Amino acid sequence: MESSGPEEAGEIDFKAVLSRFRGVNDARLERIRASLRERQRDFLDLLPLLFHINHPMLPGFSAQNTPAGVYAYEPSDRVLRSARTLSRSFQYRSPVKRTQLPIQSIYVMGSAGTVAYAEGSDLDVWLVHEPELRADELELLLLKARNVEKAAEKLELEVHFFLVNTERFREGQGEDLSSESSGSAQHNLLLEEFYRTGILLAGRYPFWWLVPPSQETDYDELVADMQRRRFIHARDGIDFGGLAHIPAEEFFGAALWQLSKGIDSPYKSALKLLLIEAYAAEYPNIELLSLRYKQAIYDGITDLDKLDPYLMMLDKVQEYLGRDQRNQERMELARRCFYFKADEALSVEEKKPRGNWRRELLAEVVGSWGWGRTDLMLMDGRNEWKVHRVAEERRILFEALTASYRFLSDFARRYAGMAMISQRDLNILGRKLYAAFERKAGKVELLNRGIASDLRESHLSLHELLDENHNSRWILYRGVVKPSDTKGATPLKRSRSVVELIAWCYFNSVLDKNSALAIYTSGSDLTASEFRLLVDRLHNLFPERAMEEAEMEDFARPAQLRQSAVFLNMGIHPLDNLELNRGKLSSGSNDALCYGPSARNLVLSLDHVVVNSWHEVISHRYAGAKGLMEFICDYLKWAPLDQGVPPPPVRAYGTTSHRGSTVAHRVEELIQSIAECYYDPGIDPETRYVAAIGRGFFVLNRDGDKLRYNAQANEASLIRELGRSRARYSPVIFDRYCLRGSPLPSIYARNKRGIVQLFYMAGNGQAEIYVLDERGALFHQRLPFDERSALLNHYSRFFEASLNRINFLIEEGSSQESIAGVELYSISRGAPGEFRLQRQAPEFSEASGYFSLQVLADVDEDGKTAFTLYCEDQEFSTLEYGRGLFEAVVSHILQRRRGQAGYPIYITDISLAPAILGENGAGRVQTVHFLTYKQRIEEQLNKTLQAQRRG
């Protein structure tokens, strides 16, 4: 029956071989039909007809011009009767151009027709089409396939179609990576699985059937020779290619794909991953199961039990693992994987034995393992496994998957160097694995993925312990466990945050709305009603559908926030009853962040729970004022500022009855205000945002695509922070509750780029001076106030001189914008918390008593500051007067003044040498530098003035 080479191909009885393959194929097809319910069986029979013709009354119809027609297909009377049950008027008309039909073949592949195909298993269907189909025709065909899938869903039958172009397939090109398609992750291994599991529904058979196993290495030459000699006709078969060699590069990509599938279907993928590992261990002389399968048929074996692809896979894996005693745990896992895939509860007696071949075959296999009734009852009770058993099983699964991954990673480095997988697919699979298995701070571990169906506990006990620093630690127990019983009880979970602990319970389905919880606290005010409220809110915010399997496309981009909530003051009452009852908060601010006359911050703790697009659950705890700022910055990290689109709104919940809703509303308002500020496409990227929390302040600013903050202890510290020089113009936005008794928010609301603005508020013989320079830096000073004209006169003169000097320096050494002008404003009080700003004209009075005082500052050879002062035209320098410089200047000024008047001395011009400017240099100098030096020198002059007047 076998030939030694292509030249002896004529010795093969092709008809006999083909007949044997078709016989096995049809028998396996009948096994599929036998496993389906009647309407599902009719649907399977109809599948070829649905793609053979376009009929508007049949399932899946998309358009009359959808490519239709399956090669060599003629519907049976049974199929036509099934079609007429759907449409009484249906009349079958065979396609006219029988030689140009676009559908070459329809195959079912996978577990269908095997002992592992259980009720609820899916059907993977290959729809093999002519390579010449245009893109628009493929779109119509794909639409029809999706419609057929939806029709199958109504029959509780899960079907997945894959459009296959044989030419592209042979070149290693397939569909894009998706939840059902492995994309570029594997090709030859996928073909290998197809050859041993594929069942032909209609159309052309694979030429691979007719190539003897011993001649697999000569596949291409042999197929060409058989066609040349007309032993086979090209129209009758499909050439998917041979399996002479599996490239070493492919094993790692296939492993990644199976690991990815194993996240949600661990038992199915673990067995396939072990098979890939077994293949890799035999490299380069691999005994492929597909060739073992084909050899059996060539040897005349047609017993379906012996040819069952899943049994063959299990045998191969057991052979491999049995070579090393250290693999015993993985061996037992492989057997559990096989048993769970078969999904036949052998511990339960059938009410009506009906010759179930799958059950009989599975019982025979399980008996060979030595499993008894106790083992079967444990396996069949999987859906009732609870947390400890599921956690142990997850550990075994994770270790097995990891062991295979490491083996195949080493294999790839040793033999391949890199995987035959596109960088995009590699990134997607890597991200999915990272999301499922990577442990990181705050991540809620999801235990129950594809292991058990119900982890719910009817009773739980929650205990709080305090460490040496009086920080809470929370421990969860199964059942009712009193404090006196904890020594003999095994905790389900420990956490520093009660919210994280409850989130772990909720997302792992350990509790629901009906679970009873006993709470034992040591320092917390947590109540059962708060706990119940938390569970209800988790249920409403994150329903079960929110945790359905993520789409592959979600992993093509960085994780994005999908849904989140922040829970405030869980188990903490920010105000005690005594304080409320005594009415201590009747005066002062109603702002929850600066509450009452003591300006208390009512946000003591925050727990942020997030579900992202990779279906990771993350819970982070924050405390106090800094914690609130850290939370906001972390929350906004989910959406890069450059994109201009904020993350989905976060819901805030106050968990206590003590102004909980007020606190939550205030936090939401603050988050929204900051988000509106920094995601506004018209906002200056240098904008700073100021919020008051407690007695302190926080200044937010942009750092690349993220926000940073710095804390200021009080208003004086905030003013110093706002007075720092800036490299670029930096406007400031104040939170609407911030500094209500100060004119600063009103002043900054008038701030303009490139304009120097002076604001003064006079009263009680003093003037509060605020200057915003051309880059938004703040200068603040208190001065004695006598008359408006004197104040405006000296500042007008000073600004005129310094601005000309700055613009000259900028033109020489910098690309900085020049200063466009000066604006002067007076400030007066309006309604409580309101300030009126009125524009003032500059003053340049030449009246008697006003004269100029110019200061030149430089650094001498010893590195000390040297001054030269000009009072009108009179020069006074450090070189001449040394330490007595200021005394000499003050004496001269007093002589010029009428009646030796002691009102303050003001500088009208100042020049700073480059050595004084230091790192700011000529190009970075700004008005606030001149104002700061002006203030320092004026303070020394006025201090000297007061001393001389006293003397």
Side-chain angles (χ1 to χ4, degrees), residues 928-943:
V928 73
H929 296 132
F930 289 87
L931 287 167
T932 302
Y933 266 93
K934 173 181 181 296
Q935 181 182 23
R936 291 176 185 172
I937 298 171
E938 284 178 348
E939 286 176 351
Q940 294 186 51
L941 288 170
N942 288 308
K943 184 177 179 181

Side-chain angles (χ1 to χ4, degrees), residues 297-312:
I297 294 180
Y298 268 75
D299 290 342
I301 298 173
T302 57
D303 185 333
L304 295 188
D305 292 351
K306 294 181 180 179
L307 295 174
D308 189 288
Y310 258 79
L311 276 180
M312 295 178 72

Side-chain angles (χ1 to χ4, degrees), residues 45 308 793 912 939:
D45 293 339
D308 189 288
N793 186 289
L912 303 175
E939 286 176 351

Side-chain angles (χ1 to χ4, degrees), residues 204-494:
R204 306 179 185 181
Y205 64 87
F207 283 144
W208 181 81
W209 284 357
L210 302 183
V211 176
S214 61
Q215 295 178 273
E216 195 73 27
T217 55
D218 301 319
Y219 174 90
D220 291 332
E221 185 179 353
L222 185 57
V223 169
D225 185 68
M226 286 190 290
Q227 289 182 0
R228 180 174 56 81
R229 298 190 183 193
R230 299 190 178 182
F231 293 125
I232 57 175
H233 197 289
R235 288 197 308 252
D236 295 332
I238 293 181
D239 185 4
F240 290 107
L243 288 173
H245 176 63
I246 304 291
E249 294 86 353
E250 189 168 311
F251 287 96
F252 185 64
L256 279 178
W257 167 248
Q258 289 303 332
L259 278 168
S260 171
K261 296 292 288 182
I263 292 167
D264 296 293
S265 301
Y267 292 111
K268 178 179 177 181
S269 292
L271 193 58
K272 290 189 174 182
L273 191 60
L274 285 169
L275 176 64
I276 296 171
E277 183 181 338
Y279 280 166
E282 295 176 345
Y283 184 85
N285 301 311
I286 307 171
E287 185 192 9
L288 298 173
L289 287 179
S290 53
L291 297 182
R292 185 186 288 186
Y293 170 80
K294 182 160 67 168
Q295 184 64 59
I297 294 180
Y298 268 75
D299 290 342
I301 298 173
T302 57
D303 185 333
L304 295 188
D305 292 351
K306 294 181 180 179
L307 295 174
D308 189 288
Y310 258 79
L311 276 180
M312 295 178 72
M313 177 166 60
L314 177 65
D315 289 343
K316 180 79 174 182
V317 168
Q318 289 189 126
E319 291 169 10
Y320 166 66
L321 295 177
R323 297 171 193 159
D324 191 334
Q325 288 296 322
R326 292 173 297 180
N327 287 327
Q328 189 58 38
E329 187 173 71
R330 290 209 291 167
M331 176 81 82
E332 291 301 320
L333 175 63
R335 291 168 174 171
R336 289 199 298 278
C337 290
F338 182 85
Y339 186 78
F340 291 146
K341 181 68 178 72
D343 196 20
E344 188 77 29
L346 296 181
S347 67
V348 180
E349 294 292 334
E350 285 192 299
K351 294 181 179 179
K352 295 181 180 180
R354 46 187 173 84
N356 185 333
W357 69 269
R358 291 181 59 252
R359 186 180 181 89
E360 293 171 1
L361 181 56
L362 183 63
E364 181 183 335
V365 172
V366 167
S368 69
W369 301 340
W371 280 13
R373 181 167 179 78
T374 302
D375 300 301
L376 293 174
M377 291 179 67
L378 177 63
M379 296 300 105
D380 293 339
R382 174 164 66 110
N383 288 334
E384 298 176 3
W385 289 358
K386 296 305 178 184
V387 171
H388 289 304
R389 181 70 182 86
V390 168
E392 175 62 13
E393 188 74 354
R394 186 182 188 277
R395 178 195 66 78
I396 294 171
L397 280 164
F398 177 71
E399 289 180 358
L401 293 173
T402 302
S404 294
Y405 176 76
R406 288 174 179 167
F407 176 87
L408 291 164
S409 296
D410 292 341
F411 172 85
R413 283 191 293 269
R414 189 164 62 249
Y415 291 106
M418 63 180 295
M420 286 180 61
I421 178 173
S422 72
Q423 188 60 47
R424 178 181 182 275
D425 289 357
L426 189 63
N427 290 340
I428 288 174
L429 293 175
R431 285 170 171 172
K432 186 172 182 182
L433 293 171
Y434 173 88
F437 296 120
E438 184 70 15
R439 290 189 175 98
K440 58 184 178 183
K443 184 172 177 178
V444 176
E445 186 177 29
L446 302 180
L447 299 176
N448 189 28
R449 282 183 159 173
I451 299 177
S453 62
D454 183 14
L455 295 185
R456 190 182 70 86
E457 296 287 351
S458 59
H459 291 79
L460 294 164
S461 297
L462 184 63
H463 292 251
E464 181 191 23
L465 300 178
L466 298 179
D467 63 15
E468 62 275 9
N469 297 318
H470 297 281
N471 295 316
S472 294
R473 298 292 182 266
W474 296 89
I475 305 176
L476 185 74
Y477 295 94
R478 180 185 182 188
V480 179
V481 178
K482 298 179 181 179
S484 58
D485 301 328
T486 56
K487 289 185 178 180
T490 302
L492 287 180
K493 181 70 176 174
R494 303 173 187 266

Side-chain angles (χ1 to χ4, degrees), residues 673-698:
S673 178
I674 293 173
E676 288 175 353
C677 171
Y678 286 102
Y679 289 98
D680 181 349
I683 199 73
D684 190 304
E686 296 294 322
T687 298
R688 290 167 285 173
Y689 187 98
V690 180
I693 303 179
R695 294 184 175 276
F697 299 86
F698 290 86

